[in-house]
């Protein structure tokens, strides 16, 4: 299998297009594993960051599926329509959020575990109120997003770690900016329900002093967000 060397100025876009072309002609078959990011970067003559950005976009578009600890695979069921430039551009916008999601998982799962050890009664009440606001956000995505961000900020605050709290809030500001750029208006009911349930479990684990469970439920809560991002431009 050979790839064309491409100009760095258009690297992520061209990486994505070459991978889609390889899939279209059958060089990369459904269910097969994509070469590693390191190998792709060498074959294409670009940096690994460009390859990563392209892969994130193709995950959003439904061409690729990352599997923890195994690599990235071509989806068994592929999109049936050749994407236009607008969809590819939107996919890059959504795909960049995945890097933020990784940062969130590192920061917020630890925050939840620490909150289970350190949260005082007032902070527990604040967390419960935050979940209540998420549950009462109805179907408007912007209202739900604001309530959900306040919930995550409350968990960070309850961790008792000032640096961790400030880093989390910085990441959350970037998350909000990305979501606003995607201009999603309606909140899918299934995603809303899963998000509310998992947020409530996070708070219950924190109140019970179970740090491992709090981190686990926070990971599930963030996983629901990650899954929903894949459908925003679908």
């Amino acid at each position: 299998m050979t790839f064309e060397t491409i100009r760095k100025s258009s690297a992520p876009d061209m990486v994505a297009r070459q991978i889609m072309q390889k899939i279209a002609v059958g060089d990369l078959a459904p269910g097969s594993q994509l070469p590693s990011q390191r190998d792709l970067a060498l074959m294409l003559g670009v940096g690994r960051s460009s390859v990563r950005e392209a892969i994130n976009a193709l995950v959003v578009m439904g061409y690729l599926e990352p599997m923890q600890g195994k690599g990235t695979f071509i989806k068994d069921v592929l999109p049936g329509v050749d994407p236009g430039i607008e969809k590819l551009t939107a996919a890059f916008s959504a795909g960049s959020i995945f890097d933020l999601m990784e940062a969130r998982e590192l920061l917020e799962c630890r925050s939840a575990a620490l909150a289970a050890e350190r949260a005082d009664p007032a902070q527990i009440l604040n967390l419960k109120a935050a979940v209540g606001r998420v549950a009462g956000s109805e179907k408007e995505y912007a209202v739900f997003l604001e309530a959900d961000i306040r919930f995550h900020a409350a968990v960070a605050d309850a961790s008792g770690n000032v640096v961790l709290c400030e880093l989390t809030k910085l990441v959350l500001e970037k998350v909000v900016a990305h979501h606003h750029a995607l201009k999603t208006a309606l909140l899918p009911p299934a995603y809303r329900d899963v998000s509310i349930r998992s947020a409530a479990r996070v708070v219950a684990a924190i109140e019970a002093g179970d740090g491992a469970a709090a981190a686990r439920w926070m990971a599930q809560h963030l996983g629901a967000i990650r899954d929903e991002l894949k459908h925003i431009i679908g």
Side-chain angles (χ1 to χ4, degrees):
M1 185 187 309
T2 60
F3 288 86
E4 299 175 13
T5 300
I6 57 182
R7 294 192 301 270
K8 292 184 179 180
S9 60
S10 60
D13 178 82
M14 293 302 295
V15 169
R17 291 184 182 278
Q18 285 207 43
I19 292 174
M20 285 190 292
Q21 177 63 20
K22 296 298 181 184
I23 293 172
V25 300
D27 287 342
L28 292 170
S32 65
Q33 185 171 6
L34 192 70
S36 69
Q37 292 184 23
R38 182 174 183 273
D39 288 344
L40 279 172
L42 290 172
M43 285 188 282
L44 292 161
V46 299
R48 290 178 65 177
S49 61
S50 295
V51 172
R52 179 178 178 79
E53 188 175 345
I55 288 174
N56 283 346
L58 293 176
V59 168
V60 172
M61 295 173 69
Y63 285 91
L64 303 178
E65 181 71 24
M67 296 186 181
Q68 187 69 32
K70 295 183 179 180
T72 303
F73 293 79
I74 314 304
K75 290 287 289 288
D76 289 326
V77 179
L78 296 168
V81 180
D82 186 44
I85 185 64
E86 291 185 2
K87 187 168 185 178
L88 186 58
T89 299
F92 275 108
S93 179
S96 64
I97 300 179
F98 287 172
D99 287 335
L100 287 174
M101 291 305 302
E102 285 190 351
R104 291 187 70 179
E105 288 166 9
L106 290 171
L107 293 170
E108 297 192 51
C109 290
R110 183 57 180 159
S111 290
L114 288 175
E117 299 175 9
R118 302 173 179 176
D120 60 35
Q123 288 171 325
I124 295 293
L125 287 175
N126 187 40
L127 287 167
K128 290 180 177 179
V131 173
R133 286 191 291 269
V134 175
S137 59
E138 299 301 331
K139 298 180 180 180
E140 187 178 347
Y141 198 93
V143 176
F144 173 86
L145 177 62
E146 180 181 357
D148 186 64
I149 291 296
R150 291 174 68 180
F151 162 70
H152 287 279
V155 173
D157 181 66
S159 74
N161 186 306
V162 175
V163 174
L164 193 58
C165 186
E166 290 303 315
L167 286 173
T168 299
K169 290 179 179 178
L170 177 62
V171 171
L172 292 176
E173 288 176 2
K174 293 182 177 295
V175 169
V176 171
H178 276 284
H179 276 281
H180 285 169
L182 292 174
K183 299 179 181 179
T184 304
L186 297 178
L187 182 66
Y191 166 60
R192 178 180 181 275
D193 293 343
V194 170
S195 184
I196 293 169
R197 285 199 304 270
S198 55
R201 293 292 189 110
V202 170
V203 175
I206 291 173
E207 186 174 23
D210 190 341
R216 185 171 63 252
W217 281 108
M218 179 60 79
Q220 291 194 27
H221 181 76
L222 294 172
I225 297 173
R226 181 189 293 272
D227 290 342
E228 178 55 25
L229 287 173
K230 297 176 184 178
H231 301 288
I232 286 178
I233 66 165

